[in-house]
Amino acid sequence: MIRERFMSSLNASDRSQVRIRELLAEARPRPEVVVRGWLRTVRRGKEVTFFEINDGSCFASLQVVADSAGPLAPVLEELATGACVAVRGELVESPAKGQAVELKATELVLLGPADSDYPLQKKRHSFEFLRSIAHLRPRTNSFGAVFRVRSRLAFAVHRFFQERGFLYVQTPIITASDCEGAGELFRVTTLDAGNPPRVDGQVDFTRDFFGQQSGLTVSGQLEAELFATAFADVYTFGPTFRAENSNTSRHAAEFWMIEPEMAFCDLAADCDLAEEFLRYLVRFVLEDCADDLDFFDQRIEKGLIDKLQQLARAEFARMSYTEAIKQLEKSGREFEFPVRWGCDLQSEHERFLTEQVVGGPVFVTDYPKEIKAFYMRQNDDDRTVAAMDLLVPRVGEIIGGSQREERLDRLDARMRELGMEMEPLWWYRDIRRWGSCPHAGFGLGFERLLMYVTGMENIRDVIPFPRTPGHAEF
């Protein structure tokens, strides 16, 4: 009876285990604990077998010690890197350097064996190789750290807005509108791809599932604006999609966006919130993810923690686009992309402004209307719009936003100027007819933020299952 009760505490479904994070944080002996996890290493000796177990709760693993010739010997012989085990034992002070405690095993159950083909046998693998086994890479040190930070930062995003009274709104994933107007939507259809219905030679989308052309959203902004006119302060945080055939380290076809929208808000207040938000997230990750950041600082980007600490206490400068162009022109620097008023700022320009001109983060505001979206509020000069980009050292743009055009006549004029059809956005125009108000918002790409705070250089390495041209596995 005692044996049955004991074994039930070691089975795969019982939740009575202690997480390794808790044991290592306390770092004090315990007469009896149960841990479950996956083996990182196994070292067998004639008298003692050592193995390290990691349960994903923290960066560090827990060393387990077992008598090689004792009653656990048959199970110990079956252990291999990657196997899943449950262990009961006594937590004792460790005589070895680098660890305060270790677990002396008294009972051991092999829950899931691993054979010799397990691909994570050696210590180091290239990130490119690990992308090919995305289903296993969370078990590595690098990606365990990445996805713990991702989880904690997602929590921090919600906490920031919830503490400030923002409403969390879930905007559509399937949409008939292209917020950015770039035509890079993934199409959603139930029509026969080989023989779609046609009228006058054109595909008849009125016979499609939604009765019109539809696709995966590139942004929840337009719908969030509608909610801002009812709840004042709202935010979205969800997946967005862009069918851009790009294989750069900064582009993915599926990514997550954080997009707040605030009624009764102008461009200056929009910048204020963006600064407060980014500073909050950086301080949070410094305090909450210290162990994982130490790893990134040592192995991924030297000086990462210092970079984040500098940003957390930095003054956020502000300059107009026109002033930024003047600074670039008088620099005497030969840029790959020539500088002139009206050009879109490239990463090299943005980094020069942050690293050489300002020496820290900077908001660049009031861009030429020709290089910005139709929904941005037109300034009185009729040349620029109330847009802003937050630029940070080493990266460039990390947040983009604007005050939205709340005046229906100016919005309509801009849409006509760009040759846009009015009818598909009748609902967006309606909120300018009834109870319109000044409002503003911004967008922060979650993966772009994660790359910044972890030092990872490729967006494919901060999202669990990256979607890029030619790749949709797992």
Side-chain angles (χ1 to χ4, degrees), residues 111-287:
L111 300 174
D115 60 30
S116 59
D117 291 333
Y118 182 64
L120 299 177
Q121 299 283 353
K122 64 180 184 178
K123 292 285 187 180
R124 300 292 294 273
H125 295 278
S126 71
F127 289 151
E128 184 176 7
F129 168 74
L130 292 173
R131 286 175 213 136
S132 71
I133 54 168
H135 56 308
L136 293 174
R137 65 178 182 166
R139 298 191 193 181
T140 65
N141 285 335
S142 298
F143 290 96
V146 165
F147 296 126
R148 275 188 298 271
V149 171
R150 184 180 177 109
S151 174
R152 295 304 295 163
L153 270 180
F155 166 78
V157 167
H158 287 291
R159 191 171 79 170
F160 175 86
F161 289 116
Q162 293 294 325
E163 287 176 349
R164 288 157 181 76
F166 279 65
L167 179 85
Y168 176 37
V169 55
Q170 296 80 32
T171 52
I173 289 176
I174 299 174
T175 179
S177 62
D178 180 359
C179 176
E180 300 299 327
E184 295 172 341
L185 272 69
F186 285 101
R187 294 299 174 190
V188 175
T189 181
T190 57
L191 296 179
D192 183 345
N195 186 30
R198 296 179 181 274
V199 175
D200 297 329
Q202 302 295 316
V203 176
D204 182 8
F205 286 101
T206 64
R207 296 171 61 181
D208 205 349
F209 186 90
F210 294 106
Q212 58 185 312
Q213 289 194 62
S214 302
L216 300 180
T217 185
V218 299
S219 169
Q221 176 202 313
L222 302 188
E223 292 85 357
E225 285 188 54
L226 309 184
F227 267 65
T229 63
F231 297 95
D233 294 333
V234 304
Y235 72 102
T236 75
F237 184 13
T240 52
F241 310 85
R242 187 159 297 175
E244 183 178 4
N245 191 13
S246 173
N247 278 295
T248 75
S249 62
R250 293 164 64 90
H251 291 89
E254 178 182 336
F255 50 97
W256 285 63
M257 285 292 293
I258 306 154
E259 298 176 292
E261 287 290 329
M262 296 78 66
F264 321 114
C265 181
D266 61 11
L267 184 64
D270 197 29
C271 292
D272 290 342
L273 185 73
E275 176 179 343
E276 183 185 3
F277 182 47
L278 183 60
R279 198 190 303 275
Y280 177 95
L281 294 178
V282 169
R283 286 175 174 169
F284 178 92
V285 77
L286 283 167
E287 296 171 4

Side-chain angles (χ1 to χ4, degrees), residues 295-334:
F295 169 79
F296 293 128
D297 190 73
Q298 294 172 28
R299 297 291 186 88
I300 304 299
E301 181 186 329
K302 297 291 185 182
L304 172 71
I305 292 176
D306 183 59
K307 177 189 78 173
L308 296 177
Q309 290 172 338
Q310 287 185 36
L311 183 67
R313 60 176 179 262
E315 294 289 332
F316 284 52
R318 302 188 187 188
M319 70 171 65
S320 70
Y321 169 90
T322 300
E323 175 61 26
I325 293 296
K326 289 179 180 177
Q327 292 287 345
L328 292 167
E329 287 177 334
K330 75 178 186 180
S331 70
R333 178 76 61 92
E334 287 290 332

Side-chain angles (χ1 to χ4, degrees), residues 100-111:
V101 291
E102 63 186 22
L103 183 62
K104 292 180 64 175
T106 56
E107 295 287 342
L108 173 65
V109 174
L110 180 60
L111 300 174

Side-chain angles (χ1 to χ4, degrees), residues 49-95:
T49 296
F50 299 92
F51 55 92
E52 288 191 350
I53 183 173
N54 187 283
D55 65 0
S57 62
C58 62
F59 182 84
S61 299
L62 177 66
Q63 178 168 280
V64 182
V65 183
D67 184 354
S68 296
L72 302 184
V75 184
L76 292 173
E77 287 298 317
E78 297 182 58
L79 297 185
T81 301
C84 183
V85 299
V87 188
R88 178 195 281 258
E90 179 185 2
L91 196 69
V92 299
E93 291 184 3
S94 175

